[in-house]
Amino acid sequence: MSVLDDIIAGVREDLDVRRQKLSLDEVQTLARQAPAPRDALAALTPRAGGVRVIAEVKRKSPSKGDLSAIQDPAELAAAYERGGAAVISVLTEERRFGGSLADLDAVRAAVDLPLLRKDFTVDEYQIWEARAHGADLILLIVAALDDATLDSFLKLTERLGMHALVETHTPEEVERAVAVGARIIGVNVRNLKTLEIDRSVFAALAGLIPAGAVVVAESGVRDIADVETFVADGAQAVLVGEALVRHSNPELTVGEFARAGSALHH
């Protein structure tokens, strides 16, 4: 069993517990009552003078273990917003990442930026749930979904006024993401089956993504040099977690990352 399979098995168990407390009908009612979603696609569309940063509220990861205690996710998110983040990502997976929907709620109340609910979406319940909790963007991992499910999840997401970050790791997955009409395509340089990082994967895949889609580099950002490399290889946005939560001044770091690569855009 790969790491991804193992994570998804846990996600399904935790989902069953939440579903017993709140039916799909109830979650759908809450989603329809939620304030209108913010436009994450517009927020991630590149503009002159740098790269768009998706800054992540992330306590731990399967590859690195504990990263940061993050006593106050809202305070961290507000620092990201002040630093110039375009979107804030909140991990809601509990077992491996130490996240929760409570973190998402706290961040939603604190910032006005679009929010990515970062989780392993394997059931439409989670898409309605994301909207009910104020998410504007969800993660769809191509490796975790068959084509029909990927297509139906993307359509539901867009019907609810949200967008999806469609995550890929191989040329075949990029092809599948493009085929369903994904408009925000992420290339994860971490292999979710082995957790190994290979930064060269980004350059190899970014060129396969058609113009008009926003290209996001996911994982592997340690510093400004990594951001600049990804931008040079075609990234319009970078998703950064560990390098920000481990830093003593996340606000400053987000700003530095956001300006990185600006010379390459001119």
Side-chain angles (χ1 to χ4, degrees):
M1 185 187 260
S2 74
V3 177
L4 180 61
D5 294 331
D6 188 42
I7 291 173
I8 286 172
V11 164
R12 289 190 184 279
E13 283 177 29
D14 293 341
L15 175 60
D16 288 341
V17 172
R18 296 199 304 280
R19 213 194 312 248
Q20 283 162 13
K21 294 179 187 163
L22 212 60
S23 71
L24 177 60
D25 280 354
E26 291 170 302
V27 171
Q28 287 173 329
T29 299
L30 291 170
R32 292 189 181 104
Q33 291 168 350
R38 290 155 177 81
D39 191 341
L41 180 63
L44 290 173
T45 298
R47 53 198 71 163
V51 64
R52 316 305 284 150
V53 177
I54 305 172
E56 194 150 79
V57 176
K58 181 178 188 178
R59 289 192 172 86
K60 59 183 189 178
S61 75
S63 58
K64 295 284 180 74
D66 290 334
L67 299 172
S68 172
I70 308 182
Q71 305 296 343
D72 190 344
E75 189 184 320
L76 177 61
Y80 288 159
E81 185 173 38
R82 290 193 303 271
V87 168
I88 292 175
S89 168
V90 183
L91 257 306
T92 60
E93 196 280 333
E94 295 180 34
R95 299 181 183 212
R96 298 296 195 97
F97 293 89
S100 67
L101 285 162
D103 284 352
L104 187 63
D105 292 338
V107 171
R108 177 71 292 161
V111 300
D112 200 33
L113 295 176
L115 293 192
L116 164 63
R117 181 204 181 168
K118 184 94 175 290
D119 210 320
F120 296 76
T121 308
V122 291
D123 191 293
E124 78 165 72
Y125 182 98
Q126 294 164 284
I127 301 175
W128 288 96
E129 186 178 53
R131 188 75 281 275
H133 286 269
D136 312 287
L137 188 61
I138 64 161
L139 181 69
L140 295 177
I141 300 173
V142 175
L145 304 166
D146 61 44
D147 286 341
T149 309
L150 180 62
D151 185 55
S152 73
F153 281 5
L154 183 59
K155 285 189 168 77
L156 173 60
T157 302
E158 292 179 344
R159 206 162 68 237
L160 295 180
M162 296 188 293
H163 289 96
L165 169 57
V166 181
E167 179 175 301
T168 64
H169 185 73
T170 65
E172 181 248 358
E173 288 174 12
V174 171
E175 223 171 271
R176 292 176 57 204
V178 172
V180 296
R183 294 194 282 171
I184 305 171
I185 299 180
V187 174
N188 195 343
V189 303
R190 184 186 300 284
N191 184 330
L192 288 178
K193 297 186 166 76
T194 63
L195 297 185
E196 282 164 9
I197 286 224
D198 177 358
R199 288 177 185 81
S200 69
V201 166
F202 182 79
L205 299 192
L208 305 175
I209 298 171
V214 174
V215 183
V216 183
E218 298 181 58
S219 304
V221 171
R222 296 161 297 194
D223 50 32
I224 290 172
D226 286 332
V227 177
E228 288 178 340
T229 300
F230 283 143
V231 171
D233 290 335
Q236 295 158 321
V238 290
L239 189 149
V240 191
E242 183 188 334
L244 295 177
V245 299
R246 284 180 181 259
H247 204 281
S248 58
N249 190 336
E251 180 181 339
L252 185 73
T253 311
V254 166
E256 288 174 346
F257 286 179
R259 287 188 299 275
S262 56
L264 299 164
H265 279 307
H266 293 311

